[in-house]
Each structure stands twice: as C-alpha cells, then as structure tokens.
Amino acid sequence: MPDNAATPLVSAVIVSYNRRDDLRETLSMLSLQHYKNLEIIVVDNASADGTAAMISELVLPNLRLIQMEENVGVKAYNRGFEAANGEYILILDDDSFPAPDAIEKMIEKFNRYPEVGIVSFTVKDYSTFKNNSPAVAASTAGDTDFNDDYIMSFHGAGAGVRRDVLKKAGGYPEEFFLYFNETDMALRVWNAGFRIESFPDVVCYHKSSMTNRTSERGPFYYTRNIFWTIWKNYPGLLMWKATLLMLFYVFYYAFEQRTFIYIRAFFDAVVNVRMITRNPIRTQIARRFRMHYKTPFTMFR
Amino acid sequence: MKNKNILVIRCTDLQHLDKVFKKLRAEFPDAKLSLLTHRHGAAAAAAYTETVIVYPYTQSYGFFRDMKTLNDMNFDTVVIPVGNVSGSGFLNVFLFTLTIKTGTRLMCNLPLELKPLSKSKIIGLLLRNSLYTLASGVLAAVAGAVLLIGWPVFALLTRGGKSSDK
C-alpha cells in the first residue's frame, strides 16, 4: 500500500523477552490487521528461548529484528522508536495484539483530534478475543467529551503515538528498566501540550496471569519508579507532598503485607538518585494528573 | 442466597474486570449486573452492562465520598474485584461499600475466588490498619525530614532543567 496522507505508515514496536510463543501469536495477529501499511519492529532483549531464531524463520513483509546484547528493559523500546519510519508508532507488548480494526480506528482518532498525541487502547483480556469479530460493541459517542477534570497516563500494552510527539516529548525513561515508564512519558507528553485519550472502540488484547504475583520484581520497580517519576517531574511543593504520601504508603503497606520490599525500593530510589535528571513540568499539569500512587501496593500478596 | 441485583465496583483494570464479569455471569446467570466506575472508565464500561453508574469524585472510593444516587438504591450483593489474593490495598473500597445498602459483600480476587466480607471484618481491618496509619505517619514524617535535610545534595545529583512554568 503506498504511503500517503490517507494511509500513513504505522510502525509497530514490540519488545520481547523470553516469550517466543506469545510473540509468534502477536505477529500472526498483526498480519490480520485490516490496515496494511504497517512495518513491524521487534526488539529482542537477549531472549534465551530462541526468539531471534523464530523471527528469522518468519516470512513477514516489513518485519525487522533488532537484537540487544543484554536485557536492557524499556530502553529497548527507545531503540525500536529510533528505528521506526512510520508517522505513527504503535507500542505493543510481546503478549498483546490489537483488534483487527484497531489500527484503522487509531488513525481515524489521530485525524479527527489533532491535539491527541497518544491514543491509549482499551486493553481487554485475551480470553475475550474472538477472531474476526468486531472488537467490542462499544459506542464511540462521547469521543469529544474529553475529561478535563483530571488527566491520565496510557497503557503500554497498546498505545499509538504520533512520531513528532515522541520526538518532542522523548521516549521511555531508560533508567527505570521496567514498570511505570508510561507515566513518566505521559507527563512529558501532556507538558508538551498534547493530550492522551483512551477510546473504547480502539481495542487490544493482553494476556495476564490468573495467579498471584508473588514476585517482588513488580512492587520493587513500581515503587522505586514512582518516587523517581515524582522527583523528576513534579514541581516544588507538589513534589514534596507526593513524596510524603508515597513514604506513608511505603510504611503502611510494609506493615500490612509484612514485607520490606517497598522500603528497599525507596532506599534504592534514594541511593541511585543520580540516575535521574530533574525537569519539572508545569504545575497545572502535575495538579491535574491522576497518578496511581497505590498501584505497587495492590499487586502483591 | 438471593442474588438478583448485583453491583460491581470497578477498582481493577479492564482485563481483570473481563474475567470477573465472566465469573459472575456463570455463578449468577439470572442476576442484573450494574457497574460503578470513575468517569474515565464510563465509556469502556458500556461494553459490560447497560447499567453504568459513574462515581462523581476524582479521588479513590472512600467512606466519606459516598453517593446520593447509591443511597436510593438497594442491592443484593456488592462485588469488589481486587488485583491480588488478599485484598490488601483495597480497604478504602471495602469501607466505601458500608455506605451502600446491600445484603452481602463479596471480594473477587485475582484467581477469581469469591470471598464474603462482613461488616465486622471490614471494621476489624479498619481498627488494625488505624495502628498502621499512626505508625506510618510518624515514620513518613521522619523519613521526609531526613530527605528535606539532604535536599541540597539531592538537587545537585538530579540537576537538570528548570521548571516548565512560565
């Protein structure tokens, strides 16, 4: 399909780490997209399960593999963004995929709302996906009824970004390694004057575990990175207010869940603070932003 | 147990909510399911049920942020989906349910187990967690003061741009 104003090139950027079979399914689902002017960039974070070999065996037009030498976390997304040629970039996980009509609808939203910098997909559970059926019977009414009381982040398992917005606001914070990277980027996108909006008819599907998350990795990185997000982005008094609130949660949930993981994460944030650079955003953006302070404390045990 | 009229409070992500609704429809096939959600989730909520009630506050659900709309309604059961096994971190939602007229309260956890939550259990959790609140408040104040004292070093290490405020 020629690259013109009606069908601009979209670059799907997927970072993968040891999820070969999920990634194969994601790539297969991308081939079902109604929208065809699509390039796919897979950044492999040094998987040990033969992901790279699987990719090289696939015969998919416009599929490129970028191989990292080690697992660098979300930094790998930035390498994918840099390699992308599309006017729009579609961010996906290696275990998520868009509904067959989702990219078409994403472009429609971008065309209709020039102020929207990121289209956040409605992320549904994988089990609800029915092949070749309409994504959801959701109404598009209310599209223009954007919520200005508070503003929000986006879901990293499915989001479309304008390339020029990415250039202006910057990509994911590489020092975060994992988790909460979307929120840091979202604050910069809002601060740059663009909106982030979620649309119920732009859907992607994501796999998730039904078992409890007993791993300490999630709560650790989430907690540390919330502190860093606040310290990097929040202006003066708001930064202190948010820091105190987070400190309260750290101790409160350490008591409630009988764990030191949150305290360890806070100490890590302090000890490695030199890894972040402080660039406060506008106060009105920070005030209106709905920060999910409690997320790390509700995913563990 | 009579379960004809069930209110689900959305306090987890849509992926979990997909599974919770599937579970509830299987367990209570004749029940009318209503969904309470914040404003940002209202459009997506329409895909789950015809009866979507919008929580009028920006902040989290809370005992002191009750709703007039709900005060006039009666439910057989209120379901609180939680994103873990124990329900830790959702006490504010449990307390909020005390403002709703309902026969029973069920917590639906990550593995989709439906666990009853009595009023006395919620109040017990509140009393226990009040002690944690007190201790955490003191510790947060101390840690905050230490951070404030170390701020000049902190600012030097994170030196970057100036505020975007014009």
Side-chain angles (χ1 to χ4, degrees), chain A residues 97 123 234 252:
Chain A
F97 58 86
V123 180
Y234 272 27
Y252 178 90

Side-chain angles (χ1 to χ4, degrees), chain A residues 88-129:
Chain A
Y88 302 109
I89 291 166
L90 172 63
I91 304 173
L92 291 173
D93 270 353
D94 51 6
D95 58 350
S96 68
F97 58 86
D101 60 356
I103 297 180
E104 268 177 350
K105 286 184 172 168
M106 175 191 87
I107 291 173
E108 182 195 313
K109 305 297 179 191
F110 277 131
N111 287 339
R112 198 186 309 166
Y113 308 112
E115 71 275 29
V116 170
I118 296 182
V119 168
S120 184
F121 286 32
T122 296
V123 180
K124 306 275 290 174
D125 188 65
Y126 174 74
S127 64
T128 63
F129 175 70

Side-chain angles (χ1 to χ4, degrees), chain A residues 124-125 147 150 191 206 208 210-212 252 256-258 273 278-280 282-283 290 294 298 301, chain B residues 14-15 18-19 38-40 48 58 84-86 88 92 110 112 129 132 136 154 158 160-161 164-165:
Chain A
K124 306 275 290 174
D125 188 65
N147 184 2
Y150 54 93
N191 196 52
H206 192 208
S208 63
M210 292 281 280
T211 54
N212 193 27
Y252 178 90
E256 193 189 52
Q257 296 169 17
R258 305 277 190 272
V273 73
R278 186 166 156 74
N279 275 307
R282 283 176 285 152
T283 305
R290 195 168 195 265
K294 282 173 75 176
T298 57
R301 298 197 170 165
Chain B
L14 291 178
Q15 276 180 264
D18 283 329
K19 293 171 182 164
H38 281 83
R39 187 179 157 190
H40 64 263
Y48 295 87
T58 304
N84 50 28
V85 169
S86 65
S88 171
N92 62 309
L110 197 65
L112 302 179
N129 286 22
Y132 299 158
S136 307
F154 179 90
T158 61
S164 301
D165 283 331

Side-chain angles (χ1 to χ4, degrees), chain A residues 227 242-252 266, chain B residues 136 140 143-144 147:
Chain A
F227 277 111
T243 299
L244 280 176
L245 180 66
M246 270 302 288
L247 278 169
F248 172 79
Y249 284 150
V250 160
F251 292 116
Y252 178 90
F266 166 64
Chain B
S136 307
L147 269 185

Side-chain angles (χ1 to χ4, degrees), chain A residues 233-286:
Chain A
N233 298 293
Y234 272 27
L237 272 178
L238 285 177
M239 182 197 78
W240 283 106
K241 213 171 139 184
T243 299
L244 280 176
L245 180 66
M246 270 302 288
L247 278 169
F248 172 79
Y249 284 150
V250 160
F251 292 116
Y252 178 90
Y253 290 108
F255 282 124
E256 193 189 52
Q257 296 169 17
R258 305 277 190 272
T259 177
F260 283 105
I261 191 64
Y262 307 124
I263 296 170
R264 264 182 43 213
F266 166 64
F267 275 109
D268 193 77
V270 172
V271 168
N272 291 308
V273 73
R274 73 182 75 82
M275 289 177 73
I276 62 170
T277 303
R278 186 166 156 74
N279 275 307
I281 60 169
R282 283 176 285 152
T283 305
Q284 56 151 320
I285 297 293

Side-chain angles (χ1 to χ4, degrees), chain B:
Chain B
M1 196 191 303
K2 186 186 153 204
N3 271 310
K4 292 285 179 196
N5 193 10
I6 297 175
L7 175 70
V8 181
I9 301 178
R10 189 195 159 186
C11 44
T12 53
D13 60 26
L14 291 178
Q15 276 180 264
H16 188 231
L17 203 62
D18 283 329
K19 293 171 182 164
V20 170
F21 266 76
K22 195 174 170 186
K23 167 88 176 176
L24 293 175
R25 290 210 165 96
E27 292 269 331
F28 312 110
D30 301 323
K32 178 194 170 198
L33 301 177
S34 304
L35 180 60
L36 175 67
T37 180
H38 281 83
R39 187 179 157 190
H40 64 263
Y48 295 87
T49 174
E50 286 175 9
T51 316
V52 175
I53 305 165
V54 176
Y55 192 60
Y57 301 94
T58 304
Q59 304 96 322
S60 313
Y61 301 105
F63 183 79
F64 294 108
R65 287 191 283 269
D66 59 332
M67 291 176 60
K68 274 189 179 168
T69 317
L70 286 180
N71 290 343
D72 299 332
M73 299 169 90
N74 282 291
F75 297 95
D76 298 318
T77 298
V78 169
V79 175
I80 309 119
V82 299
N84 50 28
V85 169
S86 65
S88 171
F90 291 86
L91 180 60
N92 62 309
V93 192
F94 300 161
L95 288 168
F96 170 69
T97 66
L98 297 179
T99 68
I100 301 170
K101 289 173 199 158
T102 181
T104 53
R105 293 168 184 81
L106 294 174
M107 175 179 89
C108 187
N109 64 10
L110 197 65
L112 302 179
E113 297 164 320
L114 289 168
K115 296 184 172 178
L117 271 174
S118 63
K119 273 187 184 176
S120 56
K121 185 171 182 181
I122 295 172
I123 290 166
L125 285 172
L126 174 66
L127 291 175
R128 186 198 68 177
N129 286 22
S130 298
L131 295 175
Y132 299 158
T133 301
L134 199 65
S136 307
V138 172
L139 288 168
V142 172
V146 172
L147 269 185
L148 194 60
I149 292 164
W151 172 247
V153 180
F154 179 90
L156 199 67
L157 290 173
T158 61
R159 196 168 40 181
K162 291 180 179 173
S163 169
S164 301
D165 283 331
K166 300 271 187 318

Side-chain angles (χ1 to χ4, degrees), chain A residues 49-233:
Chain A
D49 64 349
T51 293
M54 183 272 289
I55 297 275
S56 58
E57 283 167 13
L58 285 177
V59 187
L60 275 177
N62 302 325
L63 171 65
R64 275 189 285 158
L65 171 69
I66 298 173
Q67 185 70 55
M68 305 306 288
E69 288 184 2
E70 57 179 336
N71 182 6
V72 294
V74 296
K75 184 180 182 178
Y77 272 107
N78 288 348
R79 298 295 86 80
F81 299 156
E82 286 158 15
N85 296 309
E87 188 177 328
Y88 302 109
I89 291 166
L90 172 63
I91 304 173
L92 291 173
D93 270 353
D94 51 6
D95 58 350
S96 68
F97 58 86
D101 60 356
I103 297 180
E104 268 177 350
K105 286 184 172 168
M106 175 191 87
I107 291 173
E108 182 195 313
K109 305 297 179 191
F110 277 131
N111 287 339
R112 198 186 309 166
Y113 308 112
E115 71 275 29
V116 170
I118 296 182
V119 168
S120 184
F121 286 32
T122 296
V123 180
K124 306 275 290 174
D125 188 65
Y126 174 74
S127 64
T128 63
F129 175 70
K130 290 184 187 72
N131 200 3
N132 292 329
S133 69
V136 279
S139 163
T140 55
D143 261 14
T144 51
D145 188 21
F146 292 149
N147 184 2
D148 277 317
D149 295 341
Y150 54 93
I151 56 180
M152 294 183 68
S153 182
F154 60 96
H155 202 309
V161 190
R162 290 182 197 271
R163 188 187 172 79
D164 52 345
V165 169
L166 202 54
K167 272 189 182 164
K168 197 169 177 183
Y172 282 150
E174 299 186 354
E175 67 277 14
F176 278 28
F177 188 70
L178 208 61
Y179 299 129
F180 220 66
N181 42 295
E182 296 93 344
T183 302
D184 181 80
M185 181 174 152
L187 285 167
R188 282 180 273 116
V189 168
W190 280 105
N191 196 52
F194 299 97
R195 302 188 68 91
I196 298 170
E197 293 296 338
S198 177
F199 300 93
D201 58 333
V202 186
V203 173
C204 83
Y205 299 92
H206 192 208
K207 292 180 182 171
S208 63
S209 169
M210 292 281 280
T211 54
N212 193 27
R213 300 163 201 182
T214 49
S215 162
E216 291 188 337
R217 195 180 66 168
F220 176 84
Y221 283 115
Y222 260 111
T223 305
R224 185 195 67 177
N225 294 345
I226 291 181
F227 277 111
W228 278 359
T229 301
I230 293 165
W231 296 344
K232 280 179 71 179
N233 298 293

